[in-house]
Amino acid sequence: MSIFPKISLRLEVEKYLKEGFMNKEVVSALGKQEAERRFETLLNHLSHPPSFTTVRVNTHLASVQHVKNLLLDELQKQFNGLSVPILQHPDLQDVLLIPLIGPRRNIKKQQCEAVVGAQCGNAVLRGAHVYVPGIVAASKFMKAGDVISVYSDIKGKCKKGAKEFDGTKVFLGNGISELSRKEIFNGLPELKGIGIRMTEPIFLSPSFDNVLPSYLFLQNLPSAVVTHVLDPQPGEKILDLCAAPGGKTTHIAALMHDQGEVIALDKIANKVEKIKQNALLLGLNSIKAFCFDGTKALKLDMVKDADGKPPFLPESFDRILLDAPCSGMGQRPNMACSWTLKEVTSYQPLQRKLFTVDPQIGGEGMLGAGLSFEQLKRLQRFDPSAVPVRDTDLGSLGGARLEDLVWLANKDCIGFFIAKFIKCKSTEKDP
């Protein structure tokens, strides 16, 4: 059952998305009324968190069962003895699923309030505490140790440092303030730690802040599917074109047992450093990260390879992963997006410029792209609107079948799609 309004978009953006979603093929297949219903359902799902938190085990350093046991102990501590199950995905053996408990509707709202930015609010709904930079407003007399009701300013209208806010806000739960209002808004830029420790979040989801950092990587389920579709093999040379922050890069290296070479490119220097940090943290030595524009990675006029650095000659790699830059509007939860239509559509030229699937976890591709039915089946589309928004409590989990929970995890995730291309012939001319 929905507890949040649908994602708030600019009218021009919503109209553009609706026109694309309700294309002739979709309307012909479903009918106009059903197509409209599915579009509205999708917008509603985007404002809610997925039904499961997904983490990938770094199998290079430890077995899945060992990490699962360690994580069970950690969740017992976080949830004060509550027994929340951890499921191993049957088709993605290195993926663990933790069900989201909630919404919890009996949380008493407090007089003392804090308002956080929309991005911070989204993180809280996925299990994070509130960090000082995310706090936008706080009640006049708030002091350290107070029980605080936390709200998300989903439209970004609250002024920094305000003492109260009557605009559109969404209740996220209660927490205990680590600092006073005066300390939070004293203007010191070095204040970056936890400002409010969430004790009664509306959705109960584990925090992964510094939890088993060498063994676990927090990753949405479709992102974990991608590397299994790529199917990297030990000893291969693989290119990850738009690699930051390195989730899929490190997954490639782990599935290759760190044997071979993984080249990771990103054109932003600090993001490249993040890839290197993640590789070091996860103990992976086969990754080489470069600050380089992926659109210039191919060099046709080179005589020989530039010592393993970009740009590269044609056919230098066994496999290539392209997770092209996009709007990220499929991320969940996302209650508001203020982007203009120009910003939303700005990724298409770059994506074009950059330019039998197994495992098959997602559904077939969306109608309207001019693809045949067989071609659509080779795509994987993750559509959150395929299942209703639902409440989950420990009681409902107790009687559920494993296959039903996995089915829900596969469906109720972020919006995403995957396409795999297999080279049919060489680009080199016969002598």
Side-chain angles (χ1 to χ4, degrees):
M1 179 179 177
S2 301
I3 63 165
F4 303 135
K6 73 178 187 181
I7 183 174
S8 174
L9 303 168
R10 289 176 181 258
L11 288 177
E12 59 175 359
V13 172
E14 185 167 337
K15 181 182 177 182
Y16 169 79
L17 295 176
K18 187 172 184 178
E19 287 174 353
F21 191 93
M22 295 187 59
N23 60 71
K24 289 182 180 179
E25 285 189 54
V26 170
V27 172
S28 176
L30 301 177
K32 184 178 180 182
Q33 186 174 355
E34 175 62 13
E36 284 184 346
R37 186 195 69 79
R38 291 194 184 188
F39 179 70
E40 290 299 318
T41 300
L42 176 60
L43 297 186
N44 183 62
H45 275 63
L46 290 177
S47 64
H48 293 72
S51 293
F52 289 80
T53 298
T54 309
V55 290
R56 174 172 58 79
V57 175
N58 179 20
T59 51
H60 175 60
L61 293 184
S63 70
V64 174
Q65 188 59 51
H66 176 66
V67 176
K68 182 179 178 181
N69 291 339
L70 293 175
L71 187 55
L72 278 168
D73 292 340
E74 173 64 30
L75 295 192
Q76 285 273 321
K77 296 173 187 174
Q78 285 194 29
F79 295 156
N80 298 316
L82 280 178
S83 182
V84 176
I86 299 176
L87 313 176
Q88 183 178 3
H89 198 291
D91 300 310
L92 311 169
Q93 291 292 307
D94 54 357
V95 169
L96 297 177
L97 307 168
I98 303 109
L100 185 76
I101 307 301
R104 302 190 295 171
R105 303 172 189 272
N106 58 348
I107 298 174
K108 183 179 178 182
K109 296 179 182 178
Q110 305 295 309
Q111 284 189 323
C112 197
E113 298 180 359
V115 179
V116 302
Q119 189 171 357
C120 176
N122 294 342
V124 169
L125 289 173
R126 296 296 299 264
H129 296 294
V130 177
Y131 285 76
V132 173
I135 301 175
V136 181
S139 295
K140 184 176 181 180
F141 300 108
M142 188 180 89
K143 59 185 183 297
D146 284 350
V147 178
I148 310 292
S149 281
V150 179
Y151 295 83
S152 176
D153 169 27
I154 62 174
K155 294 190 176 181
K157 300 295 185 182
C158 183
K159 292 183 178 179
K160 186 78 172 182
K163 296 173 184 175
E164 57 183 30
F165 177 61
D166 295 324
T168 304
K169 58 187 180 182
V170 170
F171 179 58
L172 304 176
N174 296 335
I176 297 175
S177 177
E178 299 281 311
L179 302 165
S180 67
R181 171 190 163 81
K182 184 177 179 180
E183 290 171 315
I184 290 170
F185 296 116
N186 66 4
L188 295 177
E190 62 267 22
L191 278 178
K192 296 180 180 179
I194 294 176
I196 301 171
R197 193 171 296 277
M198 297 300 296
T199 53
E200 291 183 292
I202 192 168
F203 283 102
L204 191 61
S205 182
S207 169
F208 282 91
D209 184 24
N210 207 32
V211 172
L212 306 174
S214 294
Y215 291 156
L216 289 176
F217 199 97
L218 191 60
Q219 196 168 34
N220 286 305
L221 186 137
S223 297
V225 173
V226 168
T227 313
H228 284 282
V229 170
L230 185 68
D231 194 25
Q233 299 299 312
E236 290 184 332
K237 186 176 182 181
I238 296 180
L239 174 63
D240 189 350
L241 262 176
C242 303
K248 299 178 188 69
T249 308
T250 54
H251 197 186
I252 291 170
L255 290 181
M256 293 168 62
H257 309 298
D258 207 27
Q259 298 171 19
E261 189 175 5
V262 184
I263 302 295
L265 304 184
D266 204 279
K267 65 178 183 179
I268 300 175
N270 63 344
K271 290 187 175 183
V272 174
E273 287 305 310
K274 186 64 177 177
I275 297 171
K276 293 178 180 179
Q277 291 169 13
N278 280 326
L280 182 64
L281 182 64
L282 298 172
L284 297 164
N285 300 310
S286 58
I287 296 170
K288 295 179 181 178
F290 299 96
C291 186
F292 198 82
D293 184 348
T295 64
K296 301 174 183 177
L298 175 65
K299 196 69 172 177
L300 294 172
D301 57 359
M302 287 170 52
V303 177
K304 62 178 182 178
D305 189 45
D307 298 323
K309 298 179 181 179
F312 303 101
L313 291 169
E315 303 188 16
S316 296
F317 298 93
D318 296 293
R319 301 169 200 258
I320 298 174
L321 173 63
L322 171 58
D323 185 6
C326 67
S327 67
M329 291 178 69
Q331 288 291 345
R332 296 174 63 197
N334 186 4
M335 296 189 195
C337 179
S338 60
W339 283 23
T340 64
L341 180 59
K342 183 178 180 180
E343 289 173 312
V344 170
T345 57
S346 66
Y347 290 95
Q348 295 173 6
L350 175 60
Q351 291 168 345
R352 293 191 182 103
K353 196 174 182 181
L354 282 165
F355 251 23
T356 314
V357 182
D358 183 32
Q360 186 77 32
I361 305 297
E364 64 190 36
M366 180 176 166
L367 296 171
L371 299 177
S372 69
F373 180 66
E374 287 302 314
Q375 289 170 327
L376 289 174
K377 288 198 297 183
R378 295 191 181 192
L379 300 177
Q380 293 200 46
R381 179 173 178 241
F382 293 84
D383 176 11
S385 67
V387 292
V389 174
R390 51 178 280 167
D391 295 7
T392 301
D393 55 35
L394 290 174
S396 66
L397 290 172
R401 299 185 308 164
L402 174 61
E403 51 265 43
D404 292 336
L405 294 174
V406 171
W407 178 88
L408 181 62
N410 290 343
K411 298 293 183 183
D412 193 14
C413 54
I414 65 169
F416 207 88
F417 93 95
I418 302 168
K420 182 177 182 178
F421 299 88
I422 299 174
K423 185 171 69 175
C424 297
K425 63 180 181 180
S426 173
T427 58
E428 294 181 355
K429 294 181 179 179
D430 294 331

